[in-house]
Amino acid sequence: MAKNFDVVVIGGGPGGYIAAIRAAQLGFNTACIDEWKNKDGKPAPGGTCTNVGCIPSKALLQSSENYEEAAKHFGDHGINVGSLSLDVAKMLARKDQVVKQNNDGILFLFKKNKVTFFHGRGSFAGGAQGAWEVKVGDETLVAKNVIVATGSNPRALQGVPFDEESILSNDGALRIPSVPKKLGLIGSGVIGLEMGSVWRRIGSEVTVLEALPTFLGAVDEQIAKEAKKAFDKQGLKVELGVKVGEIKKGKGGVSVAYTNAKGEAQKLEVDKLIVSIGRVPNTIGLNPEAVGLKLDERGAVLVDDQCRTNLAGVWAIGDVVRGPMLAHKAEEEGVAVAERIAGQHGHVNFNTIPWVIYTSPEIAWVGQTEQQLKAAGVKYKAGTFPFMANGRARALGDTTGMVKFLADATTDEILGVHIVGPMASELISEAVVAMEFRASAEDIARICHAHPSLSEATKEAALAVDKRTLNF
Ligand code: FAD
Ligand code: NAI
């Protein structure tokens, strides 16, 4: 017998599980279907983000940063550690435990909010407007509203499938059982830099091969340049403008033939190769044909700016639709769609979605870059403040980087904030709030910031827009 719901969510990643919770909060009888399993075959909701993305990568980034601090920087504080050793198995087990706490947390939240959870693959089985049918295992769920939140998968190089032994996606990259002597990465995007940092900090010799001639092309140029300087100093080798050729797996390693920026033929021999060249929307097993759900040429579910698909009552959110592939973007869309189903005016402001790259130094930004403003012919003022002149950063022993403000030349409205440096991931929130409230640079410059704190660099960068920094 079919089970009736008001809302069925397919996918329990950050987009799907948050959409389900919000729909239930709004009084809808809601189901969420997710197929992810842990090693024991048990449900592991939370999607890519929780299982093989945001959460485990940040756990390993923290462990590896602690190791590097102890190895290279504790001495500066007069703390002498004798001989330092690393238990990789324990580091990975801690990461798995962090993941499990998050999986369990989501199952608890489903119970608390009375969301019915189905473990398995959800596929469209037919139906029509007002009563869509979704199959999961032997059950058929019928709902007026279906939210597709099936996420994304890693993109492989053509003809080079992931084996997760020597050619790794983000999944394998998060569970290499021992530190590879030589590690190669293809793609110096977000995953390339974060995973490259993890394994470099704990002893791998890391080489990243990037096709584009510019480093982090989407990042403000001045910030990207500062970050590159720091990565070079750390020994994270990034080769830009390469053309990757044949990739061969051999005994215990991988060889990558490539042409460098000068057009010279090169070979990179590594123990493991991580391929991080972007992700593709996932609709495997969804059976969109059964209902005529339209996809675009990239395989993403086609939606309008409200996340409506071509079918009335069928919505799609997160990585499976257009826009940045970020967990918080998926969550915001999930909340907005649940509210729209309830007849409310859910809203996602794409201009104020922050980005963070959790390397050391961290890189974070919101709004427009200087190169975007120039290209659009917008007249702007820029202000920067280096962490070198910030007392808290000196006390931390981490003075790399800066905060940069871009404000409209006439109105002083903040158009973009870019940070490279310590705790950029936390500092960026102030800029997001300011931009949501359409603040001017002067607003931030006039607000009292705690001393000593890294946030004073934000205030000073806002003052710098008007060329009146106090501490630099
Ligand atoms: P997903 O998280 O991919 O979830 C989709 C879920 O749907 C999965 O559980 C999948 O099994 C399930 N599913 C798919 N099809 C079906 C079906 N037919 N039936 C049932 N279930 C199905 N973003 C950030 O914002 N910050 C970060 O720090 C960050 N770090 C990342 C690190 C890595 C290594 C990676 C790979 C990604 C990272 N991301 C980060 C991106 C983030 O993980 C994604 O943007 C986010 O997970 C997208 O959420 P989603 O709900 O759209 O999809
Ligand atoms: P990405 O899009 O960030 O970077 C891919 C890089 O690979 C680009 O620089 C691209 O030019 C390069 N590339 C593509 N094809 C290539 C080729 N054939 N040879 C060499 N280089 C090539 O993708 P990535 O790193 O795989 O991450 C996927 C997505 O996951 C990110 O875009 C982001 O949305 C999300 N993510 C977010 C994180 C965060 O918010 N901190 C962390 C990790 C991932």
Side-chain angles (χ1 to χ4, degrees):
M1 236 210 3
K3 290 191 168 138
N4 288 296
F5 290 93
D6 299 320
V7 179
V8 167
V9 183
I10 308 177
Y17 92 77
I18 288 292
I21 289 174
R22 186 70 189 119
Q25 281 177 348
L26 289 162
F28 293 115
N29 180 17
T30 306
C32 183
I33 310 170
D34 188 79
E35 65 179 344
W36 209 295
K37 297 181 195 138
N38 69 16
K39 277 184 256 170
D40 309 326
K42 299 233 170 76
T48 301
C49 167
T50 302
N51 292 294
V52 291
C54 323
I55 300 299
S57 61
K58 267 78 253 179
L60 292 186
L61 278 156
Q62 190 59 52
S63 299
S64 59
E65 189 170 354
N66 290 351
Y67 179 83
E68 187 164 56
E69 278 292 308
K72 297 193 179 150
H73 305 298
F74 274 15
D76 302 339
H77 296 262
I79 304 168
N80 300 315
V81 270
S83 73
L84 197 64
S85 67
L86 179 73
D87 183 341
V88 177
K90 194 161 180 185
M91 180 177 92
L92 296 180
R94 175 188 176 275
K95 178 255 314 173
D96 291 342
Q97 190 53 30
V98 173
V99 167
K100 188 167 181 312
Q101 283 165 355
N102 282 273
N103 297 140
D104 292 348
I106 295 166
L107 290 170
F108 165 78
L109 290 170
F110 281 162
K111 275 211 183 92
K112 181 181 159 202
N113 288 283
K114 302 195 172 48
V115 172
T116 310
F117 176 66
F118 291 88
H119 190 214
R121 175 167 282 184
S123 309
F124 280 108
Q129 183 174 345
W132 300 109
E133 289 168 16
V134 178
K135 269 192 103 54
V136 48
D138 299 334
E139 314 229 40
T140 301
L141 316 187
V142 178
K144 186 173 171 196
N145 286 283
V146 176
I147 304 175
V148 177
T150 46
S152 62
N153 287 320
R155 186 155 79 86
L157 280 166
Q158 216 173 2
V160 190
F162 298 114
D163 61 14
E164 305 298 1
E165 288 291 328
S166 50
I167 301 192
L168 315 173
S169 71
N170 55 294
D171 179 8
L174 288 159
R175 51 185 171 87
I176 306 176
S178 59
V179 181
K181 195 162 175 305
K182 288 188 173 193
L183 175 69
L185 292 103
I186 301 192
S188 73
V190 199
I191 295 180
L193 294 174
E194 289 188 357
M195 295 318 300
S197 293
V198 165
W199 295 101
R200 180 204 59 73
R201 288 169 182 168
I202 56 177
S204 288
E205 190 186 311
V206 175
T207 306
V208 191
L209 300 179
E210 166 60 46
L212 292 178
T214 39
F215 180 65
L216 285 178
V219 175
D220 185 273
E221 269 168 27
Q222 192 180 3
I223 298 292
K225 221 164 132 186
E226 191 73 13
K228 179 79 167 51
K229 251 192 334 203
F231 297 143
D232 286 347
K233 216 164 122 192
Q234 292 164 6
L236 186 76
K237 195 169 159 210
V238 182
E239 274 207 54
L240 298 171
V242 310
K243 194 165 181 323
V244 172
E246 196 183 12
I247 295 184
K248 273 202 228 153
K249 282 198 280 181
K251 264 199 205 133
V254 184
S255 96
V256 183
Y258 68 98
T259 316
N260 68 14
K262 292 186 203 142
E264 297 158 343
Q266 304 285 321
K267 194 157 270 181
L268 176 70
E269 309 273 356
V270 290
D271 302 304
K272 305 270 180 197
L273 181 71
I274 299 172
V275 177
S276 47
I277 57 168
R279 298 179 62 81
V280 287
N282 170 38
T283 53
I284 298 169
L286 182 67
N287 201 16
E289 306 81 23
V291 286
L293 179 68
K294 275 198 191 146
L295 309 184
D296 70 11
E297 64 289 345
R298 290 182 319 123
V301 177
L302 201 63
V303 287
D304 67 8
D305 59 358
Q306 304 249 303
C307 295
R308 290 174 208 276
T309 68
N310 64 308
L311 305 173
V314 180
W315 311 73
I317 59 170
D319 279 13
V320 77
V321 304
R322 50 62 201 130
M325 289 186 168
L326 295 173
H328 42 285
K329 176 263 193 185
E331 291 179 20
E332 291 299 307
E333 286 183 332
V335 168
V337 163
E339 292 178 351
R340 283 171 198 144
I341 292 172
Q344 299 181 1
H345 298 279
H347 179 65
V348 181
N349 184 354
F350 276 81
N351 295 324
T352 53
I353 294 176
W355 274 85
V356 178
I357 307 179
Y358 293 82
T359 44
S360 178
E362 290 185 342
I363 304 165
W365 71 97
V366 58
Q368 307 280 299
T369 62
E370 203 165 344
Q371 60 267 28
Q372 281 173 328
L373 293 176
K374 275 187 191 146
V378 177
K379 292 215 161 45
Y380 64 90
K381 296 175 288 182
T384 58
F385 187 82
F387 283 109
M388 216 171 40
N390 174 273
R392 183 73 194 279
R394 288 193 200 118
L396 281 173
D398 193 355
T399 53
T400 314
M402 69 178 87
V403 180
K404 171 172 179 173
F405 265 64
L406 297 168
D408 187 282
T410 317
T411 64
D412 197 37
E413 180 173 349
I414 302 166
L415 302 175
V417 176
H418 306 270
I419 308 174
V420 53
M423 299 307 256
S425 54
E426 301 295 334
L427 293 174
I428 200 66
S429 293
E430 180 181 6
V432 176
V433 173
M435 285 184 67
E436 271 293 336
F437 285 91
R438 301 198 60 182
S440 62
E442 189 181 351
D443 287 329
I444 298 295
R446 287 190 180 277
I447 289 172
C448 180
H449 288 66
H451 176 77
S453 72
L454 296 170
S455 70
E456 286 172 292
T458 308
K459 177 188 169 105
E460 290 274 5
L463 280 165
V465 169
D466 200 28
K467 297 193 171 41
R468 54 189 185 96
T469 50
L470 296 164
N471 284 287
F472 187 64

